[in-house]
Amino acid sequence: MSTHNLEDMGCGTSSVKDTRSEQVLKAALVIQNWYRGYSTRLKARQRYALTIFQSIEYADEQGQLQLSNFFSFMLENYAHIHEKDPEIVARLFGSTLQDYKDRQDYVAFVDVPNSYNGPRLQFPLTFTDIDLLVDAFKQQQILHARYVLEVLFETKKVLKQMPNFTHVKTSPSKEITICGDLHGKLDDLLLIFYKNGLPSGSNSYIFNGDFVDRGRNSIEILMILFVSFLVYPNDLHLNRGNHEDFMMNLRYGFTKEILCKYKIHGKQILQILEDVYTWLPIGTIIDNEILVIHGGISESTDLNLLHRVERHKMKSVLMPPTPLDGDPDTNVKKKKFNATIVPGEVKTSASHSEQLTKHEWEQVIDILWSDPRGKRGCYPNTSRGGGCYFGPDITSKVLNRYQLKMLIRSHECKPEGYEICHDGKVITIFSASNYYEEGSNRGAYIKLSSGMAPRFFQYQVTRTTCLRPLYQRVNAIESSAIRILRERIIARKTDLIHAFQLQDRSKSGKLSMSQWAFSMENTLGLNLPWRSLSSRLVTTDTNGDINYMSSFQDIHIQKPVKELPHWAEREPMGRKTGAIVCRGDEKVRAERREAQSTLIETLYRYRSDLQIIFNVIDSDHSGLISVEEFRSMWKLFNSHYNIHIDDFQIDELAERMDLNKDGSIDFNEFLKAFHVVHKLDKLNKSGSGLA
């Protein structure tokens, strides 16, 4: 073979290798681009799911704040409420009653039996008691009611000596750890202690509010934090959040948790807790440079006033000051602010008024409920219904006014557990991982020391040793989000159908995508990307038009059949019994069916509000109210919320709810009977039954 041929063969081999390498590189780039696109789509789905969760959460909080107006309305309109039940007035508006919250009245008569094998606390408390509680709660033991009451009374006694803002110092050798919302998630607190150590004289903590509600272990978290606070009052600091509030607890689960775990002494525990909440400090200032509060600020935030305000008068952040017994409505004009913060002990002497002024109340609401936004200025927090949105200019203005450098706050779930905004001047820290659903978000805490940049530590509690793949986590989060969104949709079915029909002028049963999205947002007000979500909520035809009744497919509200009135069986109004029913009555029947659907949807939609109202009336936590109280309250609710339900429907509903015909209604059981049934649930139950 010639040299020329060998060279040709060599060149050919090199050319083939180059071609193959090029093909491999192209394939790798194709796979890489595909994966990037796939990952981006997954993250977009996760982001949409979190948006759904957050929008519905904030809408619920908005509804909760609207209840405050109802209670003011109730006080004005509920006949002789002062004479009939002055305890309701005291509970809602903080008016003075005889001080029944005496320690001996609660603790002295609660014995710990020899059969109790849970943790036994020794007063005065020591570090050993913190260890004891942590170990006991890991084993799911319940702390006896006597110890709970003792801890609450001791905590209140120490808190009463504290100022509104705790001032703490750090050094390069002494850091402080800041934790955000825990919301009853004990596993997150235990994981923080595992990674970062238990509180001690050399390991300081700030817990920035929202210790309770939503999770299953709020009382366990409170006990660990309060016992730690009593052992290390100078090294563990507690700020009040918007959920340290008995009205919030009624809606979001903590009240129910207490009454379930402490069936005999739950009422007493709840009464003392209401008091303890009011004495929690409302903020912490680190090294005179960093402000730590639960929510945020507004353009009118006055830290000097907030240092002086009598915080224990804030019974519930949901109850605005209401003039009682002729008290004038104090509407304080805004004053000019000083350039420095003036620390001061809170006043504990008796005051002429048992309430904050309206201006003071608004100041506290702002720091507990506000959220930062990228837009400049200060404007109403329409999502939550309370506090404000504050922009980067407001942050700079308030921090400069009080010679501060940074604001650390919580109050908002963040996918990574924390978020930095406003040019690094605002940090949000959130410590409850898996807040909405397993895998929905990470938790985090911050470590700070003088002269050092904040350090962030992230984590995520998981039941498994190996984290599930991203696509599985996103599928689970998305399914859960769509599920609660569909429940929101079915609760407004009648309103949505009316909105759809207004757009559907040709009565085709179909709408364009933009018409459907407009109707959904205009009715539900959730500020969601409806176009992007449409594929999970409705069916479309080949032209892209939406069959709008498919918005309600495979889902309905399960009602307590025995309890609900059967108006369809009643004679048409104005017709004598026994009259012949003609086809003209079909319209009447249709109207009755619509009225019944409206009532069912209304009861389902407002069931949380109604449960709170009835729980407030039910001051002895018996779970029962009289039929007459039910009628009176519902008619007031009907009037205040502008709900179009006829009085005869309310009367008959009350009669049906009085199952024993003893004049009392178990409203909790009745309202729990309303729930949404998904077709998938039925299929799963059928499948498991066949198996």
Side-chain angles (χ1 to χ4, degrees):
M1 186 177 290
S2 68
T3 305
H4 178 72
N5 290 336
L6 286 171
E7 287 176 357
D8 285 346
M9 288 175 67
C11 289
T13 303
S14 176
S15 177
V16 168
K17 286 181 179 178
D18 289 344
T19 303
R20 285 177 180 170
S21 298
E22 190 175 335
Q23 289 174 340
V24 169
L25 183 60
K26 284 182 178 178
L29 288 171
V30 168
I31 293 170
Q32 187 181 60
N33 288 334
W34 172 86
Y35 182 76
R36 283 176 177 170
Y38 172 73
S39 180
T40 300
R41 287 191 296 275
L42 277 180
K43 287 178 180 177
R45 285 169 55 196
Q46 184 179 30
R47 189 168 60 251
Y48 288 147
L50 291 176
T51 301
I52 293 171
F53 282 124
Q54 199 163 61
S55 295
I56 291 176
E57 177 190 3
Y58 291 175
D60 283 342
E61 289 184 346
Q62 187 178 107
Q64 180 77 349
L65 283 165
Q66 287 170 355
L67 266 182
S68 65
N69 295 326
F70 172 77
F71 284 117
S72 298
F73 178 78
M74 181 185 82
L75 189 73
E76 295 167 8
N77 292 276
Y78 190 28
H80 309 299
I81 188 171
H82 291 271
E83 293 81 3
K84 289 178 73 174
D85 198 343
E87 190 173 334
I88 294 177
V89 181
R91 195 172 186 204
L92 292 177
F93 303 103
S95 60
T96 304
L97 287 175
Q98 182 180 1
D99 188 9
Y100 58 88
K101 295 175 181 174
D102 185 88
R103 183 177 189 139
Q104 290 306 311
D105 291 343
Y106 287 87
V107 179
F109 304 105
V110 183
D111 293 322
V112 182
N114 293 331
S115 58
Y116 170 71
N117 51 17
R120 293 176 180 265
L121 303 182
Q122 298 290 326
F123 292 86
L125 298 165
T126 66
F127 181 84
T128 306
D129 294 293
I130 303 175
D131 259 338
L132 189 69
L133 273 189
V134 169
D135 289 341
F137 293 155
K138 283 179 182 177
Q139 299 172 41
Q140 301 181 342
Q141 293 180 345
I142 302 292
L143 183 64
H144 194 276
R146 181 185 177 100
Y147 298 125
V148 173
L149 290 167
E150 288 271 24
V151 169
L152 292 177
F153 275 110
E154 284 294 318
T155 301
K156 177 184 170 183
K157 186 171 75 174
V158 178
L159 287 175
K160 286 179 73 172
Q161 308 306 314
M162 297 187 65
N164 293 345
F165 286 82
T166 310
H167 288 253
V168 301
K169 293 282 186 182
T170 67
S171 67
S173 60
K174 185 175 181 180
E175 292 183 307
I176 193 164
T177 301
I178 305 170
C179 300
D181 300 35
L182 286 166
H183 278 301
K185 290 182 170 288
L186 180 61
D187 287 343
D188 286 290
L189 180 61
L190 296 179
L191 184 57
I192 292 169
F193 287 161
Y194 173 78
K195 292 167 69 73
N196 194 60
L198 288 169
S200 69
S202 58
N203 192 22
S204 298
Y205 279 90
I206 298 171
F207 287 91
N208 198 27
D210 281 12
F211 321 125
V212 300
D213 279 334
R214 302 188 188 278
R216 298 178 181 177
N217 299 107
S218 294
I219 189 63
E220 286 79 9
I221 285 177
L222 272 189
M223 287 299 102
I224 290 174
L225 295 184
F226 286 168
V227 168
S228 300
F229 167 71
L230 291 172
V231 176
Y232 299 108
N234 298 318
D235 299 289
L236 188 132
H237 311 284
L238 302 170
N239 291 342
R240 187 176 184 177
N242 64 307
H243 278 262
E244 278 66 65
D245 185 304
F246 81 94
M247 292 282 285
M248 294 294 283
N249 298 165
L250 283 167
R251 181 189 290 264
Y252 293 106
F254 186 34
T255 298
K256 184 178 178 181
E257 178 189 331
I258 292 291
L259 294 176
C260 181
K261 290 178 178 176
Y262 298 97
K263 292 180 172 61
I264 299 174
H265 303 289
K267 175 186 172 183
Q268 292 94 319
I269 291 171
L270 289 170
Q271 286 175 335
I272 305 307
L273 263 173
E274 287 181 27
D275 241 14
V276 174
Y277 286 158
T278 67
W279 288 105
L280 285 168
I282 54 178
T284 305
I285 297 175
I286 304 171
D287 298 327
N288 293 323
E289 293 183 343
I290 299 171
L291 175 64
V292 185
I293 51 179
H294 181 72
I297 53 178
S298 73
E299 60 186 349
S300 61
T301 293
D302 182 350
L303 292 183
N304 289 324
L305 172 63
L306 286 167
H307 269 78
R308 299 190 306 269
V309 72
E310 295 178 83
R311 68 180 185 272
H312 64 283
K313 291 183 178 181
M314 180 66 99
K315 189 75 173 174
S316 168
V317 294
L318 300 177
M319 297 310 308
T322 303
L324 297 172
D325 301 323
D327 286 349
D329 181 16
T330 51
N331 213 346
V332 180
K333 292 182 179 179
K334 294 178 183 177
K335 297 181 289 185
K336 291 184 179 179
F337 303 102
N338 297 327
T340 56
I341 302 166
V342 183
E345 294 291 324
V346 67
K347 297 176 184 176
T348 57
S349 59
S351 173
H352 174 68
S353 170
E354 290 300 321
Q355 302 181 78
L356 298 179
T357 67
K358 187 172 184 292
H359 180 58
E360 290 171 335
W361 178 81
E362 288 170 347
Q363 288 278 314
V364 179
I365 285 288
D366 282 343
I367 65 169
L368 294 182
W369 281 85
S370 297
D371 296 308
R373 289 295 180 265
K375 179 181 172 183
R376 290 173 60 84
C378 185
Y379 42 102
N381 192 329
T382 52
S383 293
R384 295 187 192 268
C388 69
Y389 292 128
F390 60 98
D393 55 324
I394 302 300
T395 295
S396 296
K397 179 181 174 183
V398 173
L399 292 182
N400 290 339
R401 181 187 299 153
Y402 298 104
Q403 301 174 17
L404 298 168
K405 294 182 179 179
M406 184 183 292
L407 166 63
I408 296 179
R409 40 92 62 179
S410 303
H411 196 43
E412 286 185 290
C413 176
K414 297 299 178 183
E416 296 302 315
Y418 73 94
E419 186 178 83
I420 304 172
C421 63
H422 293 185
D423 301 318
K425 293 179 181 177
V426 174
I427 296 175
T428 298
I429 190 73
F430 196 85
S431 299
S433 66
N434 308 307
Y435 179 58
Y436 296 117
E437 183 70 30
E438 186 171 359
S440 63
N441 66 284
R442 302 170 85 178
Y445 57 87
I446 307 172
K447 290 185 78 70
L448 280 173
S449 62
S450 179
M452 302 292 288
R455 293 187 294 145
F456 300 92
F457 297 82
Q458 298 168 290
Y459 54 85
Q460 189 155 20
V461 171
T462 177
R463 297 190 187 98
T464 58
T465 53
C466 183
L467 201 62
R468 288 184 299 171
L470 179 62
Y471 79 91
Q472 288 185 3
R473 283 179 279 147
V474 170
N475 285 343
I477 297 165
E478 186 180 51
S479 296
S480 181
I482 293 297
R483 181 189 182 89
I484 65 167
L485 179 57
R486 286 171 64 78
E487 291 176 5
R488 201 84 177 190
I489 290 169
I490 199 67
R492 299 297 298 272
K493 181 178 179 179
T494 302
D495 294 336
L496 283 168
I497 289 174
H498 287 160
F500 294 150
Q501 289 174 342
L502 283 174
Q503 298 283 331
D504 181 21
R505 292 174 183 167
S506 63
K507 302 189 185 304
S508 64
K510 296 180 179 180
L511 294 176
S512 68
M513 178 69 74
S514 59
Q515 288 175 320
W516 176 80
F518 173 81
S519 300
M520 294 293 283
E521 183 55 40
N522 204 38
T523 303
L524 298 177
L526 293 174
N527 195 26
L528 290 174
W530 294 106
R531 291 171 180 268
S532 301
L533 296 170
S534 62
S535 62
R536 297 297 305 271
L537 298 172
V538 289
T539 58
T540 57
D541 63 16
T542 53
N543 297 321
D545 291 330
I546 289 173
N547 173 8
Y548 54 76
M549 290 305 292
S550 65
S551 304
F552 318 108
Q553 64 188 359
D554 302 335
I555 186 171
H556 70 273
I557 299 173
Q558 180 70 44
K559 57 187 180 295
V561 178
K562 292 180 181 178
E563 289 88 333
L564 272 179
H566 299 283
W567 294 294
E569 298 171 5
R570 293 167 63 105
E571 293 292 338
M573 294 183 69
R575 182 179 297 279
K576 293 180 181 180
T577 303
I580 298 171
V581 179
C582 63
R583 289 192 177 184
D585 293 326
E586 288 300 322
K587 182 179 179 182
V588 178
R589 285 176 175 165
E591 288 173 353
R592 287 199 201 109
R593 284 194 295 270
E594 183 174 342
Q596 186 175 17
S597 295
T598 301
L599 178 62
I600 293 167
E601 288 171 24
T602 301
L603 284 169
Y604 177 76
R605 185 161 75 248
Y606 290 107
R607 68 196 186 286
S608 295
D609 292 350
L610 291 168
Q611 202 157 14
I612 292 168
I613 291 166
F614 294 140
N615 268 303
V616 168
I617 298 169
D618 174 31
S619 54
D620 65 352
H621 298 288
S622 68
L624 300 172
I625 59 170
S626 72
V627 170
E628 191 53 44
E629 284 176 324
F630 173 82
R631 286 194 178 106
S632 299
M633 279 301 106
W634 175 258
K635 288 175 183 177
L636 280 177
F637 188 83
N638 201 12
S639 171
H640 183 70
Y641 280 76
N642 198 26
I643 299 167
H644 303 294
I645 304 294
D646 292 335
D647 284 351
F648 85 86
Q649 291 175 279
I650 297 167
D651 292 340
E652 189 162 343
L653 179 62
E655 290 175 19
R656 298 275 180 164
M657 289 171 68
D658 182 11
L659 300 179
N660 301 325
K661 305 304 176 188
D662 61 355
S664 297
I665 293 172
D666 186 341
F667 57 89
N668 284 315
E669 287 303 315
F670 179 79
L671 292 172
K672 271 196 297 186
F674 285 87
H675 61 277
V676 169
V677 175
H678 298 256
K679 185 177 180 182
L680 182 61
D681 293 340
K682 286 187 171 182
L683 291 174
N684 287 342
K685 285 180 181 178
S686 299
S688 60
L690 290 169

